[in-house]
Structure formats: structure tokens, C-alpha cells
Amino acid sequence: MAPLPDGFSYAEWNATYNALSFGIAAMGSATIFFWLQLPNVTKSYRTALTITGIVTLIATYHYIRIFNSWSEAFTVASKDGGDYEVQLTGAPFNDGYRYVDWLLTVPLLLIELILVMKLPQQETVSLSWKLGLASALMVALGYPGEIQEDLSVRWFWWCLSMIPFCYVVFTLAVGLAEATSKQPSPAAASLASAARYLTVLSWCTYPFVYMVKSVGLSGPAATMYEQVGYSLADVLAKAVFGVLIWALASEKSAIEESGKVLPK
């Protein structure tokens, strides 16, 4: 990982600090909520909701590590009552935690969506393997470019990681359309569709944030935009997406308990 650039303003440092803090709060509170809701859904959907909580728990842990690493990399002080000055301590800022987090959570995100849609078992297993492996490959291919300052190398790895990325996005947007239409109620179909498209929307922010350092931005501003962008995208892709998974599980549980649709 390249050393942090010098010259951070207090506003740039503080924006990243607050974005990481927001990530911890959002992921941690979402984990508690999802697991407290487990008794309120039928057995068929508890695995999906449990995985949802595991995703946000893993993210909470990694956001704490990133936040602590960010804090340790700087000293922030006001001299003689003036503006706050931000100085590097020389300690490394380890942003590799993000890629460890994504390698674990991104496949799980897709698996929880597949599970809550309650597809036939063979299709569930097949899609889980295909999307899980493709998403893990996407993350693995993105990391070598993330740690490079050479723009040509960054673009090379970006292009490679976009191949499995496009496969996953196409499957979510098109491949699961028929399964979405077969949900047991219009509300369930609407929630399943919202979950699919929220995943596509939030995922599409990652390639653009990745390109921040490749489109003319550099130094502290690029680092700030990257950290804030990734943090907001993560909250959408994990915590907000998880709320939709919970809502879909709750809707389908209520239908099954009322006897309108018999569980498969």
C-alpha cells in the first residue's frame, strides 16, 4: 500500500473520519436489528437473515479497523488557538481491510438474496456458486490495481475486474427477472426487484470511486473522495440492502403463515 500523501486539510481529514464513523454505526446497528428480527420470520428465511447480519457484522469489524488505522496515521492539533493542523505520524494507513471485507461479504450478499427469493434448490445452489465465485474474482482482480500509483496498471486491473462485475450485474438485472415475477405477492415481487436494483445501483458506484485516482485527482483530495465514496456505497450495499432482505423475508413469512402460499 502506497504511503498517504501529505498536506491534508482538517476538512478533508474530518470528512473521512466522519464517513468511517458513520460506517461503524450503520453496520453495527443493522447487525443488531437483523438478528433481533430472526424470531419474526419463518424458518425458511432465517438463514438468509442470519447471513445478512453476518455481512454487517464483518463490515462493522473492518470499519473499526480502518477507522483506527486512519486515526493512528495522523495527529490533529490546534496551535495557539488557531485552525486545526493535520500531520502524518508516519504510521501506515491500511486500507487493505476493505478488500478483505469485500472478499468475504460480497459473495454472501448475493447468496442471501438468492436464498430469500426461495428458488428451486438446484437453481439456488447453481446461482450461489456462480455469483459467489464471480464476485470474489471481481474483488481479487481489483486489489492489485488499488495499491498501484501507475495509472496504466490501475486501468489494466480495473478492466479485468469489470469482466466478472458485468456478469454479476447482468444476472441480477436480467437473469433473476423471471424469478422476481414469481414471488408470492405484488409486494414481495416489488421488494425483490428493489433489492436487485439497489445492488446494481450501489455496485455501480464502486468502479467510479475506483477511478478517482485515474481521472486527474490526486493527493489528499483523491484519498478523501475514495474513502467517503466507498463508505457510503458500503452502507447502501450492506445495511440498506439488508433492510430490503428483511422486509422481503417478513412479507413472505406473513403470506406463508396466513396460508395463502404453502412453503415448498
Side-chain angles (χ1 to χ4, degrees):
M1 186 67 69
L4 284 168
D6 202 357
F8 277 86
S9 68
Y10 177 66
E12 290 168 334
W13 174 86
N14 198 43
T16 302
Y17 183 94
N18 288 332
L20 296 174
S21 179
F22 174 68
I24 295 171
M27 303 297 187
S29 57
T31 302
I32 296 170
F33 173 77
F34 297 144
W35 285 350
L36 286 177
Q37 290 299 314
L38 281 172
N40 298 327
V41 300
T42 60
K43 187 177 179 180
S44 302
Y45 305 107
R46 286 176 189 167
T47 299
L49 199 56
T50 299
I51 292 174
T52 305
I54 290 172
V55 166
T56 50
L57 178 64
I58 292 171
T60 302
Y61 167 76
H62 285 113
Y63 265 85
I64 291 172
R65 297 303 299 268
I66 297 170
F67 179 86
N68 289 341
S69 183
W70 181 261
S71 299
E72 292 165 2
F74 298 91
T75 58
V76 181
S78 174
K79 295 182 179 179
D80 303 322
D83 293 336
Y84 286 105
E85 294 183 2
V86 180
Q87 301 291 333
L88 294 174
T89 63
F93 172 55
N94 187 357
D95 195 30
Y97 289 122
R98 284 198 186 278
Y99 278 81
V100 176
D101 177 81
W102 293 338
L103 194 61
L104 295 170
T105 60
V106 171
L108 290 175
L109 282 169
L110 298 172
I111 290 171
E112 71 187 61
L113 175 61
I114 294 166
L115 288 175
V116 81
M117 292 185 73
K118 207 172 182 183
L119 304 171
Q121 184 176 2
Q122 185 176 355
E123 188 177 357
T124 295
V125 173
S126 176
L127 275 174
S128 295
W129 275 107
K130 289 177 181 177
L131 294 182
L133 290 175
S135 60
L137 180 62
M138 174 191 71
V139 174
L141 290 173
Y143 183 69
E146 187 72 72
I147 61 176
Q148 295 291 330
E149 294 298 319
D150 187 323
L151 296 186
S152 62
V153 177
R154 287 181 66 85
W155 278 113
F156 172 76
W157 288 106
W158 181 88
C159 291
L160 284 183
S161 67
M162 287 299 291
I163 296 172
F165 171 89
C166 290
Y167 167 74
V168 173
V169 168
F170 177 82
T171 302
L172 289 173
V174 179
L176 290 177
E178 183 179 354
T180 300
S181 66
K182 293 180 179 178
Q183 294 301 301
S185 73
S190 177
L191 287 167
S193 181
R196 286 166 50 225
Y197 286 114
L198 175 64
T199 304
V200 171
L201 175 64
S202 61
W203 275 37
C204 285
T205 63
Y206 289 98
F208 290 104
V209 175
Y210 188 97
M211 290 190 295
V212 161
K213 293 179 180 178
S214 304
V215 292
L217 283 176
S218 61
T223 301
M224 177 201 68
Y225 284 122
E226 186 177 62
Q227 294 302 317
V228 172
Y230 280 148
S231 298
L232 294 178
D234 274 350
V235 170
L236 279 176
K238 295 181 175 71
V240 177
F241 174 78
V243 170
L244 289 176
I245 294 296
W246 160 76
L248 180 55
S250 296
E251 169 69 15
K252 294 177 74 171
S253 294
I255 293 172
E256 291 181 1
E257 288 176 346
S258 69
K260 294 178 182 177
V261 174
L262 293 176
K264 294 180 181 180

